[in-house]
Amino acid sequence: MTHRIVFVEDDADLAGLISDFLSRHEMEVIVEPRGDAALDTISREKPDMVLLDIMLPGKDGLSICRELRPQFDGPIIMLTSLDSDMNQILGLELGANDYILKTTPPSVLVARLRAQLRHLRPTQAPAEPQQGKNASRKAVFGQLSIDPVSRDVTLAGEKIPLSTSDFDLLWLLASHAGETLNRDILLKEMRGVSYDGLDRSIDVAISRLRKKLGDNPSEPFRIKTVRNRGYLFSLSGWE
């Protein structure tokens, strides 16, 4: 299977070398040289993975990562020459899945990219919620209705547009309504990976889902944060 990658890199020679090498390992690379055009290119090309340099014309890679993470479900990899603990920490906190130096041997680079790509898998709806199911398999919690067949979500009669990953996360939480799910469980179910203590993608996804469902960002009452434990889908937050 060939994976599609957008590589945001303004050094044409380096981008060409890395692209050629990755193409020999079942990776199709689209190079975007400008930071301020990166989001449009990613939106248009719909890649499986994004590689980001940090120092870019128009917009830096860290800013791109921060803006991209809420709308992109695949791995985001910082590929840079900046060997700085602060940059690594900041990149990971902003939602990057890995931080790789350009001096990394090509074979190691491929191995680390493959490790991230192995986490990609077709999304599957989690087990059907026991709460509120009916003959059509819809799950109903007060004014919230979730249909796993059509993948439609309505709240107070209004259809809520959700991405594939947003729907899968909501369905997973609803499948365990009233239970606290930690980040490790959520990551394993959503992406097939274990929580490493740094990955913030679940937190970002929860924040995005809360916003779409009209939850209170400072004091959530629909998808609650259980301190030091995880997240809980409230049974009483949808009346």
Side-chain angles (χ1 to χ4, degrees), residues 23-34:
S23 69
R24 298 198 293 271
H25 294 81
E26 299 181 327
M27 300 181 199
E28 176 191 359
V29 181
I30 298 96
V31 176
E32 171 52 63
R34 293 198 58 86

Side-chain angles (χ1 to χ4, degrees), residues 68-140:
L68 178 61
R69 183 76 282 170
Q71 56 187 280
F72 181 69
D73 302 325
I76 300 174
I77 311 298
M78 308 305 299
L79 183 59
T80 176
S81 59
L82 297 179
D83 186 5
S84 159
D85 289 346
M86 184 58 67
N87 281 324
Q88 291 190 47
I89 292 169
L90 185 56
L92 294 169
E93 286 290 333
L94 290 173
N97 298 86
D98 202 355
Y99 189 103
I100 304 176
L101 295 178
K102 291 178 179 177
T103 53
T104 299
S107 58
V108 177
L109 171 63
V110 168
R112 289 175 70 170
L113 297 187
R114 280 178 168 170
Q116 292 292 337
L117 290 168
R118 278 197 297 271
H119 300 158
L120 296 174
R121 61 179 182 176
T123 54
Q124 299 177 352
E128 184 175 351
Q130 296 303 306
Q131 292 286 339
K133 66 180 182 180
N134 56 30
S136 66
R137 294 184 61 216
K138 287 184 181 179
V140 179

Side-chain angles (χ1 to χ4, degrees), residues 16-17 23 43 52 69 74 81 101 124 127 141 154-155 190 218:
L17 287 172
S23 69
S43 176
L52 290 174
R69 183 76 282 170
S81 59
L101 295 178
Q124 299 177 352
F141 302 88
T154 59
L155 180 59
M190 295 292 293
S218 57

Side-chain angles (χ1 to χ4, degrees), residues 10-27:
D10 61 330
D11 184 330
D13 292 337
L14 178 64
L17 287 172
I18 292 178
S19 297
D20 289 344
F21 187 80
L22 295 182
S23 69
R24 298 198 293 271
H25 294 81
E26 299 181 327
M27 300 181 199

